[in-house]
Amino acid sequence: MFQSKKRYLEKGQNRHLEKTPTPFGSSAHYLRLIIKPLHCLRTILETNSFLTLSVLSIHTHRSITKSSMASASFVKLNASSSPWIGQRSFNQRPGSSSRSPAARVSVIRAGSYSDELVKTAKTIASPGRGILAIDESNATCGKRLASIGLDNTEANRQAYRQLLLTTPGLGQYISGSILFEETLFQSTTDGKKMVDCLREQNIVPGIKVDKGLVPLPGSNNESWCQGLDGLASRSAEYYNQGARFAKWRTVVSIPCGPSALAVKEAAWGLARYAAISQDNGLVPIVEPEILLDGDHSIDTTLEVAERVWAEVFYYLAENNVLFEGILLKPSMVTPGADHKEKADPETIAKYTLTMLKRRVPPAVPGIMFLSGGQSEMEATLNLHAMNQSPNPWHVSFSYARALQNSVLKAWQGQPENVEAAQKALLTRAKANSLAQLGKYSAEGESEDAKKGMFVKGYTY
């Protein structure tokens, strides 16, 4: 055995570690390990929004035979906003972690938009209100217009979105609206900016910033979301135009695996987008949509959802994203669209809230569910079921089809039907407002509201 004796010199001098062996038995050997003097390195990197602190960790290894060696490793530390993220990435095997178990050091966030981000997120996540998503690409909006016999022209897209955004009283139930780029820079036929129509009703303008899905090489026929190139400059431009939050939609397919590659790509892309958005004053909506496609059970959906969100929050923390300044847009945990057994709202609420409580820290202000092809009434009933008891976060909606379907049918592209269409929008918005408050009743719902809107392989 050996007994060690440590001596430390004053600050600013080299630190030496001496070990003096004592004999053990008649065949004792003497071993001396000398660690070369090392200076402790502390580097502070300051960017526009983040201050990241790293430290140099010194490790020693002792050889009993002929040699000895000292090694150093540079340890990057996680954000203080997520101390609960201590687990491995889901696809790391035990013992394979490259991160040191050394004590974490808090990261100081120095972003100039921090207070504004928190305020914006809280405004959107306000009681009884949710998000109206009208950020469909021109091609997808064209499909909506075609369903009522209209051509996909800019004038028709403008008329439809003007109808939505100028609905009187909409701000009572809607706190934010996600716009496509065309709409963000568009004006009404009267010359008023669309964003001003929203602001007048205390509705926060948002913007879709991703550039769509493309095939992911090396995966099982899966996709990845593009759009990081030039995102910072585009985000700054969107902010100047009046947008205050952003949306980035990527997808995960259960029938395709999902592969570890696809999940990691989705999580990393969302984290980079979120960091860039916050750096430019936009609250990021984090949306890894787990598609309804497939015949899998609700238990399978739960397993995949937990896996995906664990990876997402790991990378959000790695990118020093301010959790208090984000919003989530998850899929509800449901069986696959082709599964033989359908789940009732209470079961869906139980599974969904279980997943969220296991993965989402309470620092996140709002969870705004997507409808994902559910019928208008299904989406509202499920939201209502999730608000029957208090939650750590604001649990609300960010619906597109589940708010617009009735509107399109009422409008039919006719100017004389605008008032009826706006009334239909208010009816759906109010229903989901009541669901957010846990006070919704399905009595009096129309047959159209009960019809499912699932489309296999749906794209925005």
Side-chain angles (χ1 to χ4, degrees):
M1 294 180 62
F2 296 91
Q3 294 178 343
S4 298
K5 184 177 181 180
K6 297 181 181 179
R7 294 188 304 166
Y8 296 91
L9 301 180
E10 293 294 326
K11 184 178 179 182
Q13 302 297 320
N14 294 332
R15 188 178 76 179
H16 300 277
L17 176 63
E18 292 188 20
K19 294 191 177 182
T20 305
T22 55
F24 181 77
S26 59
S27 61
H29 296 280
Y30 292 89
L31 178 65
R32 181 180 302 274
L33 176 65
I34 301 175
I35 300 177
K36 296 181 180 181
L38 294 173
H39 292 289
C40 187
L41 173 65
R42 170 177 284 179
T43 303
I44 297 178
L45 302 174
E46 185 171 2
T47 64
N48 290 337
S49 296
F50 303 107
L51 188 64
T52 305
L53 180 64
S54 300
V55 296
L56 186 68
S57 177
I58 303 171
H59 300 280
T60 62
H61 175 67
R62 183 164 56 192
S63 173
I64 301 297
T65 57
K66 295 181 180 180
S67 63
S68 62
M69 176 177 63
S71 63
S73 62
F74 200 69
V75 181
K76 187 181 185 299
L77 303 169
N78 289 332
S80 61
S81 58
S82 58
W84 66 283
I85 303 283
Q87 60 188 24
R88 293 183 302 274
S89 170
F90 80 87
N91 57 332
Q92 283 184 307
R93 290 184 172 86
S96 66
S97 174
S98 61
R99 289 179 289 279
S100 168
R104 299 180 184 273
V105 176
S106 296
V107 173
I108 303 170
R109 180 177 175 84
S112 58
Y113 289 106
S114 295
D115 292 342
E116 182 181 350
L117 292 169
V118 173
K119 181 179 179 181
T120 299
K122 287 182 177 179
T123 298
I124 296 172
S126 54
R129 300 206 297 169
I131 295 174
L132 168 64
I134 57 170
D135 58 315
E136 301 90 350
S137 66
N138 288 345
T140 302
C141 188
K143 294 177 183 178
R144 302 270 174 90
L145 296 175
S147 70
I148 56 172
L150 291 182
D151 293 332
N152 186 15
T153 65
E154 182 178 354
N156 284 337
R157 294 193 298 271
Q158 177 194 34
Y160 176 54
R161 286 163 171 164
Q162 177 177 325
L163 178 159
L164 297 170
L165 300 183
T166 58
T167 298
L170 187 63
Q172 184 177 349
Y173 313 116
I174 299 297
S175 56
S177 182
I178 312 170
L179 310 177
F180 190 62
E181 188 176 83
E182 178 183 77
T183 312
L184 180 69
F185 290 92
Q186 221 167 29
S187 297
T188 67
T189 52
D190 296 331
K192 180 185 290 187
K193 292 180 179 179
M194 294 286 193
V195 292
D196 289 338
C197 295
L198 292 172
R199 286 168 171 163
E200 287 178 358
Q201 297 208 57
N202 193 30
I203 300 173
V204 182
I207 177 69
K208 169 187 166 72
V209 299
D210 68 77
K211 294 297 182 180
L213 300 169
V214 292
L216 176 63
S219 71
N220 186 25
N221 295 320
E222 294 162 289
S223 301
W224 69 284
C225 188
Q226 57 188 348
L228 288 177
D229 290 347
L231 179 58
S233 58
R234 286 188 286 118
S235 296
E237 185 179 8
Y238 297 149
Y239 182 91
N240 289 335
Q241 183 63 19
R244 289 298 178 267
F245 71 101
K247 174 201 162 181
W248 176 286
R249 175 185 179 260
T250 192
V251 300
V252 173
S253 172
I254 292 179
C256 291
S259 67
L261 173 63
V263 173
K264 181 171 287 187
E265 173 59 42
W268 177 255
L270 284 166
R272 289 305 307 139
Y273 137 78
I276 293 169
S277 295
Q278 288 190 340
D279 199 38
N280 289 278
L282 302 178
V283 170
I285 288 182
V286 179
E287 181 183 358
E289 180 177 353
I290 298 172
L291 299 173
L292 281 175
D293 303 61
D295 59 0
H296 50 275
S297 69
I298 193 171
D299 291 290
T300 299
T301 306
L302 175 63
E303 179 184 353
V304 172
E306 288 182 347
R307 186 169 139 193
V308 169
W309 281 105
E311 197 81 350
V312 168
F313 271 101
Y314 170 75
Y315 284 115
L316 288 173
E318 284 288 289
N319 282 272
N320 299 323
V321 171
L322 179 67
F323 287 2
E324 293 85 352
I326 67 173
L327 296 168
L328 306 187
K329 188 171 179 176
S331 311
M332 296 179 189
V333 178
T334 67
D338 297 326
H339 189 64
K340 58 185 178 181
E341 295 181 9
K342 302 302 179 184
D344 58 38
E346 290 71 28
T347 301
I348 291 172
K350 177 183 176 181
Y351 273 77
T352 303
L353 291 175
T354 294
M355 183 275 293
L356 293 173
K357 289 173 182 177
R358 288 173 177 173
R359 290 293 180 264
V360 181
V364 174
I367 295 173
M368 325 298 284
F369 283 102
L370 58 89
S371 55
Q374 301 176 76
S375 73
E376 291 178 331
M377 192 175 78
E378 277 180 324
T380 308
L381 280 170
N382 291 337
L383 179 63
H384 168 76
M386 281 185 274
N387 281 293
Q388 293 308 296
S389 59
N391 291 304
W393 339 264
H394 175 80
V395 175
S396 191
F397 60 93
S398 178
Y399 294 163
R401 285 172 284 176
L403 284 174
Q404 296 182 49
N405 192 48
S406 296
V407 180
L408 279 166
K409 291 179 178 180
W411 180 43
Q412 293 296 316
Q414 303 300 317
E416 61 270 22
N417 293 338
V418 167
E419 186 175 342
Q422 290 179 331
K423 183 179 179 180
L425 176 59
L426 283 180
T427 297
R428 294 282 9 124
K430 181 179 180 180
N432 286 291
S433 170
L434 291 170
Q436 197 287 312
L437 297 171
K439 300 177 180 179
Y440 168 73
S441 171
E443 292 182 12
E445 287 281 17
S446 68
E447 289 302 313
D448 282 340
K450 301 175 183 178
K451 294 179 180 178
M453 295 176 283
F454 170 73
V455 176
K456 187 174 183 179
Y458 181 78
T459 57
Y460 259 69

